[in-house]
Amino acid sequence: MILARVVLGGLAAAAAAAPFLRRRNVDLIVRDSLRRRPVSTESPRHVFFSLVDHFEPFWKNDDPRVALDRVRRWRERYPEVAARFHDRGGRPPRHAFFYPAEDYDRLPDCVSMLSEIVRAGAGDVEVHLHHDHDTSHAMRARLLEFTRVLRERHGLLREVNGRVVYGFIHGNWVLGNSGRDGAGCGVDDELRVLEETGCYADFTLPSAPHPSQPAVMNRIYYAGGDRSRPRAHFRAIDARFGVAGAAGPLIVTGPLALNWKRRRRGILPAIENGDLTGLNPPAPDRADAWVRAGIGVAGFPRWVFVKTHTHGAQERNSARLLGDGAGSLPALFADLLARYDDGRRFVLHFVTPWEMAGAVRVLESGDRAAIDAVERFDYPF
């Protein structure tokens, strides 16, 4: 352990001095690796796993036929895949499609097909948005209209106290106008707009190696900065056991770490950011890194939250993920169940983003009866 920290310290100094490594956020990742994380002494540890998809049928494409083929591939294949795997609560892995609001009117049939996956019990749909040099007013109007359509026309999303709520992914990584000169966003008070339009949680991060990655990583938190200004989420108020959540949407980050089992040029450890692609598919050593990141609610390390992501509409990714060989989703689900669901050291939960956020809220409530219910897969949300 001491040797590892010495090595990390040296790597941190090198990363801080090298512009290339700083651009890829390696200096931030190394510094976070040096942060001591509490590890639960209780067993079993409960692992909540969710895969969120920046699902873009019109990615580099203007042909509706191509878009439909991309969606159809998931509609025809994924329910069969999901039906083969269940956690101890009998729940299959449900794929979370975050659909771009700006693309809806181009072909509503894409969302109609996704809703079939939801009705089959194999998926969920949430909100994705690409925008550029936008305004608060325009963003608010677009989100309210899109969420209304998803709810009223397709029966998607949820209502809480008569209000439609949704999970969100920023389409250009620059959540909270964290880019340059408004590029890829433009809305300084984006976190406030999200809260006002019903966003229950944001699932954008991590964005590394993109420069919009904040130093806050491997945490579940609320924006700690002034939410009327850009980059409010670059400061954090951690979600904490027994403490009511702060203002604004919950920010659920995925793993961001160094994977020493994979080396660049045989020397530098690879960046592990939870992105599942055709070129970097899921694998056991990656799953170990996700769990080891220990993302959770402060004060309750027994629950670990693993949120991975993909761009599943892209053919190079869907071909690998929807296959049956190594690096596929069936292989991933089988591995997670085999190694992280023994009932003694680990219990695995396949959850949607809504359920993941709900589990966080239960811990924030400190309600022991609700915690016990979740651990029995009797979710009170």
Side-chain angles (χ1 to χ4, degrees), residues 105-172:
D105 288 334
R106 300 175 73 174
L107 193 59
D109 285 351
C110 287
V111 174
S112 296
M113 281 200 287
L114 293 180
S115 68
E116 294 178 30
I117 301 176
V118 177
R119 288 195 295 273
D124 210 357
V125 171
E126 299 284 4
V127 176
H128 195 29
L129 178 66
H130 301 79
H131 57 160
D132 187 62
H133 293 92
D134 205 353
T135 67
S136 299
H137 177 76
M139 179 186 178
R140 183 179 290 104
R142 174 179 285 178
L143 287 173
L144 289 173
E145 174 62 13
F146 184 50
T147 55
R148 183 192 65 80
V149 168
L150 289 181
R151 184 64 184 165
E152 296 180 2
R153 188 177 299 174
H154 300 280
L156 301 170
L157 305 181
R158 295 163 181 85
E159 289 187 31
V160 177
N161 298 324
R163 183 190 195 194
V164 178
V165 297
Y166 64 95
F168 182 77
I169 286 178
H170 199 293
N172 301 298

Side-chain angles (χ1 to χ4, degrees), residues 361-381:
R361 307 290 190 200
V362 165
L363 293 185
E364 290 178 326
S365 75
D367 186 333
R368 291 289 179 176
I371 292 170
D372 290 343
V374 171
E375 293 189 345
R376 296 192 307 267
F377 295 88
D378 182 15
Y379 297 159
F381 37 76

Side-chain angles (χ1 to χ4, degrees), residues 62-229:
D62 290 319
D63 187 341
R65 293 170 299 180
V66 172
L68 284 173
D69 283 344
R70 289 170 168 176
V71 182
R72 190 177 293 114
R73 187 174 299 119
W74 282 88
R75 185 192 63 179
E76 294 178 352
R77 173 64 172 157
Y78 188 76
E80 183 272 325
V81 168
R84 290 155 52 186
F85 304 95
H86 296 85
D87 61 23
R88 289 171 181 263
R91 298 167 184 265
R94 282 156 294 166
H95 200 80
F97 299 91
F98 284 69
Y99 196 85
E102 70 278 5
D103 284 345
Y104 176 78
D105 288 334
R106 300 175 73 174
L107 193 59
D109 285 351
C110 287
V111 174
S112 296
M113 281 200 287
L114 293 180
S115 68
E116 294 178 30
I117 301 176
V118 177
R119 288 195 295 273
D124 210 357
V125 171
E126 299 284 4
V127 176
H128 195 29
L129 178 66
H130 301 79
H131 57 160
D132 187 62
H133 293 92
D134 205 353
T135 67
S136 299
H137 177 76
M139 179 186 178
R140 183 179 290 104
R142 174 179 285 178
L143 287 173
L144 289 173
E145 174 62 13
F146 184 50
T147 55
R148 183 192 65 80
V149 168
L150 289 181
R151 184 64 184 165
E152 296 180 2
R153 188 177 299 174
H154 300 280
L156 301 170
L157 305 181
R158 295 163 181 85
E159 289 187 31
V160 177
N161 298 324
R163 183 190 195 194
V164 178
V165 297
Y166 64 95
F168 182 77
I169 286 178
H170 199 293
N172 301 298
W173 301 117
V174 290
L175 178 68
N177 204 20
S178 53
R180 295 182 178 178
D181 302 320
C185 183
V187 181
D188 288 349
D189 60 340
E190 183 164 68
L191 273 296
R192 182 170 291 171
V193 172
L194 291 174
E195 178 186 20
E196 292 172 351
T197 55
C199 177
Y200 66 83
D202 176 86
F203 296 88
T204 304
L205 300 173
S207 59
H210 193 276
S212 62
Q213 174 65 44
V216 181
M217 56 187 71
N218 295 313
R219 290 154 77 178
I220 297 176
Y221 70 104
Y222 299 86
D226 181 349
R227 290 182 301 123
S228 68
R229 300 176 63 85

